[in-house]
Amino acid sequence: MGLAADLAVVFVAGLVTALATGVGALPFFLVEEFDDRWNVALWGLASGIMVAASLFGPVREGLAYGDAWLLAPGALAGVALVAAGHAVVDGVDPDPGEYERADFRKLVLILGVLTVHSFPEGVAVGVSFAELGFADAETVTVAGVALPVLAAFMTVAISIHNVPEGVAVAIPLRSLGVGEWRMVWWAVFSSLPQPVGAVLAFAFVSLARGLLPLGFGFAAGAMVSLVATEFVPEALERGRDLSGGGRREFVAGALVGALAMVPLALV
């Protein structure tokens, strides 16, 4: 495939992760409320997947393509991007309930904030496709396209992570009486920056193959930082009224997620 075709494949993968956010709103077609235990377990599942995938995937691949001296600054840059994103998001807290009343200027503002929030996740997806088209890359065929194993795992990991995020967006909209399909749309809207970030990251590592370790380090740093600063606090917040503060559900989900990534270490 040429670069244009590769970019299209990466964009579709990023779009899949964004659409997965809409899945978080689907339970509200059937029930009025979503059990916090499942919410916490999903955050734990996503955390286990992300941490294990970063170790078995980007870190290992980065070391395979270069020395740790490029991997380390890349990881620090990924952490810095997430920290910068949190600094911006902490300054502006868009209420999902406002989406239904927002005018054009407000929607632009909300999208800008969500771009900072979602961009690192898209970057992780894009970098995971760095071996797309490599003759010696381990691949898995999806819809007739040979994808790097790491890319397939990462796309699934981010998609799973986006499901509870979709629930988080849908809950306040449900309380405002917003229709189910509109909740799905706004949930997907909140993750639309991810395919953009995926394409930009992939284009960068494709044009600068010598900096692959830097890119892999960036993805790993961003992923672990997201887990530490977003997934874990969100899970504990959701589980604060559960027995044990939801820690058992979170740990159980994290262990399942980590074990699910073991095959990535074997390829």
PDB file of all heavy atoms in Angstrom, residues 22 24-32 96-97 99-100 166 169-188:
ATOM      1  N   GLY A  22     -19.337   5.695  21.520  1.00  0.00           N
ATOM      2  CA  GLY A  22     -20.789   5.648  21.393  1.00  0.00           C
ATOM      3  C   GLY A  22     -21.397   4.398  21.979  1.00  0.00           C
ATOM      4  O   GLY A  22     -22.562   4.399  22.405  1.00  0.00           O
ATOM      5  N   GLY A  24     -20.752   3.191  24.741  1.00  0.00           N
ATOM      6  CA  GLY A  24     -21.039   3.461  26.148  1.00  0.00           C
ATOM      7  C   GLY A  24     -22.427   4.004  26.391  1.00  0.00           C
ATOM      8  O   GLY A  24     -22.954   3.903  27.507  1.00  0.00           O
ATOM      9  N   ALA A  25     -23.048   4.581  25.357  1.00  0.00           N
ATOM     10  CA  ALA A  25     -24.400   5.116  25.499  1.00  0.00           C
ATOM     11  C   ALA A  25     -25.472   4.077  25.184  1.00  0.00           C
ATOM     12  O   ALA A  25     -26.642   4.274  25.511  1.00  0.00           O
ATOM     13  CB  ALA A  25     -24.584   6.334  24.593  1.00  0.00           C
ATOM     14  N   LEU A  26     -25.093   2.963  24.549  1.00  0.00           N
ATOM     15  CA  LEU A  26     -26.081   1.972  24.121  1.00  0.00           C
ATOM     16  C   LEU A  26     -26.853   1.313  25.272  1.00  0.00           C
ATOM     17  O   LEU A  26     -28.039   1.013  25.110  1.00  0.00           O
ATOM     18  CB  LEU A  26     -25.403   0.897  23.269  1.00  0.00           C
ATOM     19  CG  LEU A  26     -24.834   1.380  21.926  1.00  0.00           C
ATOM     20  CD1 LEU A  26     -24.230   0.200  21.159  1.00  0.00           C
ATOM     21  CD2 LEU A  26     -25.906   2.060  21.087  1.00  0.00           C
ATOM     22  N   PRO A  27     -26.217   1.049  26.451  1.00  0.00           N
ATOM     23  CA  PRO A  27     -26.996   0.431  27.528  1.00  0.00           C
ATOM     24  C   PRO A  27     -28.222   1.238  27.934  1.00  0.00           C
ATOM     25  O   PRO A  27     -29.191   0.672  28.461  1.00  0.00           O
ATOM     26  CB  PRO A  27     -25.983   0.340  28.685  1.00  0.00           C
ATOM     27  CG  PRO A  27     -24.661   0.270  28.018  1.00  0.00           C
ATOM     28  CD  PRO A  27     -24.789   1.158  26.823  1.00  0.00           C
ATOM     29  N   PHE A  28     -28.200   2.554  27.666  1.00  0.00           N
ATOM     30  CA  PHE A  28     -29.328   3.385  28.067  1.00  0.00           C
ATOM     31  C   PHE A  28     -30.545   3.186  27.167  1.00  0.00           C
ATOM     32  O   PHE A  28     -31.610   3.734  27.434  1.00  0.00           O
ATOM     33  CB  PHE A  28     -28.906   4.855  28.098  1.00  0.00           C
ATOM     34  CG  PHE A  28     -27.933   5.161  29.200  1.00  0.00           C
ATOM     35  CD1 PHE A  28     -26.572   5.219  28.950  1.00  0.00           C
ATOM     36  CD2 PHE A  28     -28.369   5.344  30.492  1.00  0.00           C
ATOM     37  CE1 PHE A  28     -25.662   5.481  29.962  1.00  0.00           C
ATOM     38  CE2 PHE A  28     -27.469   5.599  31.520  1.00  0.00           C
ATOM     39  CZ  PHE A  28     -26.119   5.663  31.255  1.00  0.00           C
ATOM     40  N   PHE A  29     -30.376   2.416  26.081  1.00  0.00           N
ATOM     41  CA  PHE A  29     -31.534   2.008  25.298  1.00  0.00           C
ATOM     42  C   PHE A  29     -32.355   0.976  26.066  1.00  0.00           C
ATOM     43  O   PHE A  29     -33.537   0.784  25.800  1.00  0.00           O
ATOM     44  CB  PHE A  29     -31.096   1.400  23.961  1.00  0.00           C
ATOM     45  CG  PHE A  29     -30.706   2.404  22.920  1.00  0.00           C
ATOM     46  CD1 PHE A  29     -29.446   2.999  22.948  1.00  0.00           C
ATOM     47  CD2 PHE A  29     -31.582   2.762  21.916  1.00  0.00           C
ATOM     48  CE1 PHE A  29     -29.073   3.924  21.993  1.00  0.00           C
ATOM     49  CE2 PHE A  29     -31.217   3.687  20.949  1.00  0.00           C
ATOM     50  CZ  PHE A  29     -29.962   4.262  20.981  1.00  0.00           C
ATOM     51  N   LEU A  30     -31.696   0.279  27.019  1.00  0.00           N
ATOM     52  CA  LEU A  30     -32.334  -0.823  27.730  1.00  0.00           C
ATOM     53  C   LEU A  30     -32.585  -0.527  29.204  1.00  0.00           C
ATOM     54  O   LEU A  30     -33.543  -1.037  29.776  1.00  0.00           O
ATOM     55  CB  LEU A  30     -31.457  -2.082  27.618  1.00  0.00           C
ATOM     56  CG  LEU A  30     -31.128  -2.538  26.184  1.00  0.00           C
ATOM     57  CD1 LEU A  30     -30.138  -3.702  26.232  1.00  0.00           C
ATOM     58  CD2 LEU A  30     -32.385  -2.936  25.434  1.00  0.00           C
ATOM     59  N   VAL A  31     -31.695   0.263  29.828  1.00  0.00           N
ATOM     60  CA  VAL A  31     -31.816   0.527  31.267  1.00  0.00           C
ATOM     61  C   VAL A  31     -31.714   2.024  31.529  1.00  0.00           C
ATOM     62  O   VAL A  31     -31.198   2.786  30.709  1.00  0.00           O
ATOM     63  CB  VAL A  31     -30.713  -0.208  32.065  1.00  0.00           C
ATOM     64  CG1 VAL A  31     -30.840  -1.714  31.895  1.00  0.00           C
ATOM     65  CG2 VAL A  31     -29.336   0.251  31.627  1.00  0.00           C
ATOM     66  N   GLU A  32     -32.202   2.418  32.685  1.00  0.00           N
ATOM     67  CA  GLU A  32     -32.162   3.827  33.059  1.00  0.00           C
ATOM     68  C   GLU A  32     -30.804   4.214  33.645  1.00  0.00           C
ATOM     69  O   GLU A  32     -30.341   5.325  33.474  1.00  0.00           O
ATOM     70  CB  GLU A  32     -33.266   4.131  34.087  1.00  0.00           C
ATOM     71  CG  GLU A  32     -34.666   4.109  33.504  1.00  0.00           C
ATOM     72  CD  GLU A  32     -34.871   5.209  32.476  1.00  0.00           C
ATOM     73  OE1 GLU A  32     -34.384   6.333  32.688  1.00  0.00           O
ATOM     74  OE2 GLU A  32     -35.507   4.934  31.438  1.00  0.00           O
ATOM     75  N   PRO A  96     -21.151  17.902  29.584  1.00  0.00           N
ATOM     76  CA  PRO A  96     -21.768  17.265  28.425  1.00  0.00           C
ATOM     77  C   PRO A  96     -23.214  17.695  28.217  1.00  0.00           C
ATOM     78  O   PRO A  96     -23.720  17.694  27.113  1.00  0.00           O
ATOM     79  CB  PRO A  96     -21.680  15.764  28.749  1.00  0.00           C
ATOM     80  CG  PRO A  96     -20.489  15.660  29.646  1.00  0.00           C
ATOM     81  CD  PRO A  96     -20.516  16.922  30.476  1.00  0.00           C
ATOM     82  N   GLY A  97     -23.886  18.093  29.315  1.00  0.00           N
ATOM     83  CA  GLY A  97     -25.257  18.546  29.188  1.00  0.00           C
ATOM     84  C   GLY A  97     -25.377  19.823  28.382  1.00  0.00           C
ATOM     85  O   GLY A  97     -26.438  20.122  27.819  1.00  0.00           O
ATOM     86  N   TYR A  99     -23.890  20.372  25.609  1.00  0.00           N
ATOM     87  CA  TYR A  99     -23.794  20.101  24.175  1.00  0.00           C
ATOM     88  C   TYR A  99     -25.120  20.386  23.476  1.00  0.00           C
ATOM     89  O   TYR A  99     -25.162  20.910  22.375  1.00  0.00           O
ATOM     90  CB  TYR A  99     -23.432  18.628  23.918  1.00  0.00           C
ATOM     91  CG  TYR A  99     -22.086  18.196  24.412  1.00  0.00           C
ATOM     92  CD1 TYR A  99     -21.722  16.851  24.411  1.00  0.00           C
ATOM     93  CD2 TYR A  99     -21.156  19.118  24.887  1.00  0.00           C
ATOM     94  CE1 TYR A  99     -20.486  16.432  24.863  1.00  0.00           C
ATOM     95  CE2 TYR A  99     -19.914  18.704  25.348  1.00  0.00           C
ATOM     96  CZ  TYR A  99     -19.591  17.361  25.335  1.00  0.00           C
ATOM     97  OH  TYR A  99     -18.364  16.941  25.783  1.00  0.00           O
ATOM     98  N   GLU A 100     -26.221  20.036  24.125  1.00  0.00           N
ATOM     99  CA  GLU A 100     -27.521  20.191  23.503  1.00  0.00           C
ATOM    100  C   GLU A 100     -27.927  21.655  23.368  1.00  0.00           C
ATOM    101  O   GLU A 100     -28.779  21.984  22.563  1.00  0.00           O
ATOM    102  CB  GLU A 100     -28.587  19.449  24.330  1.00  0.00           C
ATOM    103  CG  GLU A 100     -28.445  17.943  24.287  1.00  0.00           C
ATOM    104  CD  GLU A 100     -28.644  17.397  22.889  1.00  0.00           C
ATOM    105  OE1 GLU A 100     -29.690  17.675  22.276  1.00  0.00           O
ATOM    106  OE2 GLU A 100     -27.751  16.700  22.403  1.00  0.00           O
ATOM    107  N   GLY A 166     -17.737   6.786  27.225  1.00  0.00           N
ATOM    108  CA  GLY A 166     -19.038   7.041  26.626  1.00  0.00           C
ATOM    109  C   GLY A 166     -20.150   7.010  27.664  1.00  0.00           C
ATOM    110  O   GLY A 166     -21.089   7.814  27.609  1.00  0.00           O
ATOM    111  N   VAL A 169     -20.159  10.271  29.519  1.00  0.00           N
ATOM    112  CA  VAL A 169     -20.778  11.358  28.765  1.00  0.00           C
ATOM    113  C   VAL A 169     -22.296  11.198  28.763  1.00  0.00           C
ATOM    114  O   VAL A 169     -23.048  12.173  28.876  1.00  0.00           O
ATOM    115  CB  VAL A 169     -20.244  11.380  27.314  1.00  0.00           C
ATOM    116  CG1 VAL A 169     -21.049  12.345  26.453  1.00  0.00           C
ATOM    117  CG2 VAL A 169     -18.774  11.787  27.300  1.00  0.00           C
ATOM    118  N   ALA A 170     -22.773   9.963  28.653  1.00  0.00           N
ATOM    119  CA  ALA A 170     -24.203   9.715  28.502  1.00  0.00           C
ATOM    120  C   ALA A 170     -24.995   9.926  29.787  1.00  0.00           C
ATOM    121  O   ALA A 170     -26.165  10.333  29.735  1.00  0.00           O
ATOM    122  CB  ALA A 170     -24.426   8.291  27.992  1.00  0.00           C
ATOM    123  N   ILE A 171     -24.382   9.653  30.944  1.00  0.00           N
ATOM    124  CA  ILE A 171     -25.119   9.739  32.210  1.00  0.00           C
ATOM    125  C   ILE A 171     -25.742  11.115  32.430  1.00  0.00           C
ATOM    126  O   ILE A 171     -26.947  11.223  32.696  1.00  0.00           O
ATOM    127  CB  ILE A 171     -24.211   9.336  33.391  1.00  0.00           C
ATOM    128  CG1 ILE A 171     -23.987   7.818  33.369  1.00  0.00           C
ATOM    129  CG2 ILE A 171     -24.831   9.749  34.729  1.00  0.00           C
ATOM    130  CD1 ILE A 171     -23.001   7.324  34.404  1.00  0.00           C
ATOM    131  N   PRO A 172     -24.978  12.225  32.343  1.00  0.00           N
ATOM    132  CA  PRO A 172     -25.616  13.532  32.556  1.00  0.00           C
ATOM    133  C   PRO A 172     -26.627  13.875  31.467  1.00  0.00           C
ATOM    134  O   PRO A 172     -27.609  14.578  31.724  1.00  0.00           O
ATOM    135  CB  PRO A 172     -24.434  14.509  32.559  1.00  0.00           C
ATOM    136  CG  PRO A 172     -23.342  13.808  31.841  1.00  0.00           C
ATOM    137  CD  PRO A 172     -23.521  12.363  32.148  1.00  0.00           C
ATOM    138  N   LEU A 173     -26.384  13.398  30.235  1.00  0.00           N
ATOM    139  CA  LEU A 173     -27.343  13.658  29.167  1.00  0.00           C
ATOM    140  C   LEU A 173     -28.658  12.934  29.443  1.00  0.00           C
ATOM    141  O   LEU A 173     -29.740  13.467  29.168  1.00  0.00           O
ATOM    142  CB  LEU A 173     -26.763  13.204  27.825  1.00  0.00           C
ATOM    143  CG  LEU A 173     -25.554  13.997  27.305  1.00  0.00           C
ATOM    144  CD1 LEU A 173     -25.066  13.417  25.984  1.00  0.00           C
ATOM    145  CD2 LEU A 173     -25.899  15.470  27.126  1.00  0.00           C
ATOM    146  N   ARG A 174     -28.578  11.729  29.983  1.00  0.00           N
ATOM    147  CA  ARG A 174     -29.789  10.992  30.348  1.00  0.00           C
ATOM    148  C   ARG A 174     -30.590  11.762  31.386  1.00  0.00           C
ATOM    149  O   ARG A 174     -31.822  11.843  31.323  1.00  0.00           O
ATOM    150  CB  ARG A 174     -29.404   9.612  30.878  1.00  0.00           C
ATOM    151  CG  ARG A 174     -30.514   8.888  31.644  1.00  0.00           C
ATOM    152  CD  ARG A 174     -31.723   8.631  30.773  1.00  0.00           C
ATOM    153  NE  ARG A 174     -31.528   7.466  29.927  1.00  0.00           N
ATOM    154  CZ  ARG A 174     -32.402   7.052  29.030  1.00  0.00           C
ATOM    155  NH1 ARG A 174     -33.529   7.725  28.851  1.00  0.00           N
ATOM    156  NH2 ARG A 174     -32.169   5.988  28.290  1.00  0.00           N
ATOM    157  N   SER A 175     -29.873  12.355  32.358  1.00  0.00           N
ATOM    158  CA  SER A 175     -30.564  13.098  33.417  1.00  0.00           C
ATOM    159  C   SER A 175     -31.290  14.316  32.877  1.00  0.00           C
ATOM    160  O   SER A 175     -32.235  14.811  33.492  1.00  0.00           O
ATOM    161  CB  SER A 175     -29.565  13.525  34.501  1.00  0.00           C
ATOM    162  OG  SER A 175     -28.655  14.490  33.991  1.00  0.00           O
ATOM    163  N   LEU A 176     -30.863  14.808  31.701  1.00  0.00           N
ATOM    164  CA  LEU A 176     -31.506  15.963  31.070  1.00  0.00           C
ATOM    165  C   LEU A 176     -32.606  15.542  30.100  1.00  0.00           C
ATOM    166  O   LEU A 176     -33.219  16.380  29.443  1.00  0.00           O
ATOM    167  CB  LEU A 176     -30.464  16.802  30.322  1.00  0.00           C
ATOM    168  CG  LEU A 176     -29.433  17.517  31.197  1.00  0.00           C
ATOM    169  CD1 LEU A 176     -28.356  18.143  30.325  1.00  0.00           C
ATOM    170  CD2 LEU A 176     -30.104  18.584  32.052  1.00  0.00           C
ATOM    171  N   GLY A 177     -32.818  14.242  29.982  1.00  0.00           N
ATOM    172  CA  GLY A 177     -33.871  13.766  29.102  1.00  0.00           C
ATOM    173  C   GLY A 177     -33.497  13.725  27.634  1.00  0.00           C
ATOM    174  O   GLY A 177     -34.368  13.675  26.757  1.00  0.00           O
ATOM    175  N   VAL A 178     -32.192  13.722  27.333  1.00  0.00           N
ATOM    176  CA  VAL A 178     -31.728  13.671  25.946  1.00  0.00           C
ATOM    177  C   VAL A 178     -32.014  12.283  25.368  1.00  0.00           C
ATOM    178  O   VAL A 178     -31.852  11.271  26.052  1.00  0.00           O
ATOM    179  CB  VAL A 178     -30.217  13.983  25.870  1.00  0.00           C
ATOM    180  CG1 VAL A 178     -29.704  13.833  24.439  1.00  0.00           C
ATOM    181  CG2 VAL A 178     -29.962  15.393  26.372  1.00  0.00           C
ATOM    182  N   GLY A 179     -32.434  12.224  24.097  1.00  0.00           N
ATOM    183  CA  GLY A 179     -32.753  10.960  23.447  1.00  0.00           C
ATOM    184  C   GLY A 179     -31.548  10.051  23.306  1.00  0.00           C
ATOM    185  O   GLY A 179     -30.396  10.507  23.282  1.00  0.00           O
ATOM    186  N   GLU A 180     -31.818   8.748  23.184  1.00  0.00           N
ATOM    187  CA  GLU A 180     -30.737   7.760  23.152  1.00  0.00           C
ATOM    188  C   GLU A 180     -29.766   7.977  21.989  1.00  0.00           C
ATOM    189  O   GLU A 180     -28.543   7.944  22.171  1.00  0.00           O
ATOM    190  CB  GLU A 180     -31.314   6.336  23.084  1.00  0.00           C
ATOM    191  CG  GLU A 180     -31.933   5.843  24.376  1.00  0.00           C
ATOM    192  CD  GLU A 180     -33.366   6.307  24.555  1.00  0.00           C
ATOM    193  OE1 GLU A 180     -33.863   7.054  23.675  1.00  0.00           O
ATOM    194  OE2 GLU A 180     -33.998   5.935  25.566  1.00  0.00           O
ATOM    195  N   TRP A 181     -30.304   8.173  20.788  1.00  0.00           N
ATOM    196  CA  TRP A 181     -29.421   8.312  19.637  1.00  0.00           C
ATOM    197  C   TRP A 181     -28.592   9.584  19.703  1.00  0.00           C
ATOM    198  O   TRP A 181     -27.450   9.624  19.243  1.00  0.00           O
ATOM    199  CB  TRP A 181     -30.204   8.256  18.329  1.00  0.00           C
ATOM    200  CG  TRP A 181     -30.640   6.875  17.977  1.00  0.00           C
ATOM    201  CD1 TRP A 181     -31.911   6.387  17.955  1.00  0.00           C
ATOM    202  CD2 TRP A 181     -29.779   5.774  17.625  1.00  0.00           C
ATOM    203  NE1 TRP A 181     -31.904   5.048  17.617  1.00  0.00           N
ATOM    204  CE2 TRP A 181     -30.623   4.647  17.403  1.00  0.00           C
ATOM    205  CE3 TRP A 181     -28.401   5.625  17.478  1.00  0.00           C
ATOM    206  CZ2 TRP A 181     -30.117   3.403  17.035  1.00  0.00           C
ATOM    207  CZ3 TRP A 181     -27.901   4.386  17.114  1.00  0.00           C
ATOM    208  CH2 TRP A 181     -28.744   3.298  16.899  1.00  0.00           C
ATOM    209  N   ARG A 182     -29.160  10.637  20.297  1.00  0.00           N
ATOM    210  CA  ARG A 182     -28.387  11.873  20.458  1.00  0.00           C
ATOM    211  C   ARG A 182     -27.283  11.681  21.490  1.00  0.00           C
ATOM    212  O   ARG A 182     -26.192  12.258  21.365  1.00  0.00           O
ATOM    213  CB  ARG A 182     -29.306  13.031  20.852  1.00  0.00           C
ATOM    214  CG  ARG A 182     -30.289  13.407  19.760  1.00  0.00           C
ATOM    215  CD  ARG A 182     -31.205  14.545  20.184  1.00  0.00           C
ATOM    216  NE  ARG A 182     -30.505  15.816  20.168  1.00  0.00           N
ATOM    217  CZ  ARG A 182     -30.342  16.570  19.076  1.00  0.00           C
ATOM    218  NH1 ARG A 182     -30.798  16.143  17.912  1.00  0.00           N
ATOM    219  NH2 ARG A 182     -29.727  17.730  19.138  1.00  0.00           N
ATOM    220  N   MET A 183     -27.525  10.838  22.500  1.00  0.00           N
ATOM    221  CA  MET A 183     -26.466  10.517  23.462  1.00  0.00           C
ATOM    222  C   MET A 183     -25.330   9.780  22.775  1.00  0.00           C
ATOM    223  O   MET A 183     -24.148  10.035  23.042  1.00  0.00           O
ATOM    224  CB  MET A 183     -27.020   9.677  24.615  1.00  0.00           C
ATOM    225  CG  MET A 183     -27.877  10.441  25.598  1.00  0.00           C
ATOM    226  SD  MET A 183     -28.170   9.508  27.127  1.00  0.00           S
ATOM    227  CE  MET A 183     -29.079   8.106  26.513  1.00  0.00           C
ATOM    228  N   VAL A 184     -25.685   8.844  21.885  1.00  0.00           N
ATOM    229  CA  VAL A 184     -24.657   8.119  21.140  1.00  0.00           C
ATOM    230  C   VAL A 184     -23.827   9.095  20.316  1.00  0.00           C
ATOM    231  O   VAL A 184     -22.585   9.022  20.291  1.00  0.00           O
ATOM    232  CB  VAL A 184     -25.300   7.053  20.219  1.00  0.00           C
ATOM    233  CG1 VAL A 184     -24.246   6.438  19.299  1.00  0.00           C
ATOM    234  CG2 VAL A 184     -25.976   5.961  21.049  1.00  0.00           C
ATOM    235  N   TRP A 185     -24.494  10.028  19.629  1.00  0.00           N
ATOM    236  CA  TRP A 185     -23.778  10.990  18.795  1.00  0.00           C
ATOM    237  C   TRP A 185     -22.804  11.830  19.616  1.00  0.00           C
ATOM    238  O   TRP A 185     -21.638  11.989  19.263  1.00  0.00           O
ATOM    239  CB  TRP A 185     -24.751  11.894  18.067  1.00  0.00           C
ATOM    240  CG  TRP A 185     -24.155  13.220  17.692  1.00  0.00           C
ATOM    241  CD1 TRP A 185     -24.527  14.443  18.153  1.00  0.00           C
ATOM    242  CD2 TRP A 185     -23.037  13.469  16.805  1.00  0.00           C
ATOM    243  NE1 TRP A 185     -23.735  15.428  17.624  1.00  0.00           N
ATOM    244  CE2 TRP A 185     -22.816  14.864  16.793  1.00  0.00           C
ATOM    245  CE3 TRP A 185     -22.214  12.642  16.047  1.00  0.00           C
ATOM    246  CZ2 TRP A 185     -21.799  15.447  16.040  1.00  0.00           C
ATOM    247  CZ3 TRP A 185     -21.196  13.227  15.285  1.00  0.00           C
ATOM    248  CH2 TRP A 185     -21.006  14.609  15.283  1.00  0.00           C
ATOM    249  N   TRP A 186     -23.267  12.369  20.758  1.00  0.00           N
ATOM    250  CA  TRP A 186     -22.391  13.232  21.554  1.00  0.00           C
ATOM    251  C   TRP A 186     -21.263  12.443  22.199  1.00  0.00           C
ATOM    252  O   TRP A 186     -20.161  12.978  22.413  1.00  0.00           O
ATOM    253  CB  TRP A 186     -23.206  13.984  22.611  1.00  0.00           C
ATOM    254  CG  TRP A 186     -24.057  15.060  22.014  1.00  0.00           C
ATOM    255  CD1 TRP A 186     -25.421  15.163  22.072  1.00  0.00           C
ATOM    256  CD2 TRP A 186     -23.606  16.179  21.239  1.00  0.00           C
ATOM    257  NE1 TRP A 186     -25.837  16.274  21.376  1.00  0.00           N
ATOM    258  CE2 TRP A 186     -24.751  16.917  20.864  1.00  0.00           C
ATOM    259  CE3 TRP A 186     -22.359  16.630  20.822  1.00  0.00           C
ATOM    260  CZ2 TRP A 186     -24.679  18.073  20.099  1.00  0.00           C
ATOM    261  CZ3 TRP A 186     -22.289  17.787  20.055  1.00  0.00           C
ATOM    262  CH2 TRP A 186     -23.431  18.490  19.707  1.00  0.00           C
ATOM    263  N   ALA A 187     -21.503  11.184  22.497  1.00  0.00           N
ATOM    264  CA  ALA A 187     -20.424  10.338  23.020  1.00  0.00           C
ATOM    265  C   ALA A 187     -19.337  10.158  21.961  1.00  0.00           C
ATOM    266  O   ALA A 187     -18.136  10.287  22.243  1.00  0.00           O
ATOM    267  CB  ALA A 187     -20.976   8.993  23.460  1.00  0.00           C
ATOM    268  N   VAL A 188     -19.745   9.868  20.720  1.00  0.00           N
ATOM    269  CA  VAL A 188     -18.772   9.726  19.628  1.00  0.00           C
ATOM    270  C   VAL A 188     -18.071  11.051  19.377  1.00  0.00           C
ATOM    271  O   VAL A 188     -16.848  11.103  19.173  1.00  0.00           O
ATOM    272  CB  VAL A 188     -19.473   9.242  18.339  1.00  0.00           C
ATOM    273  CG1 VAL A 188     -18.509   9.262  17.156  1.00  0.00           C
ATOM    274  CG2 VAL A 188     -20.024   7.830  18.539  1.00  0.00           C
TER     275      VAL A 188
END
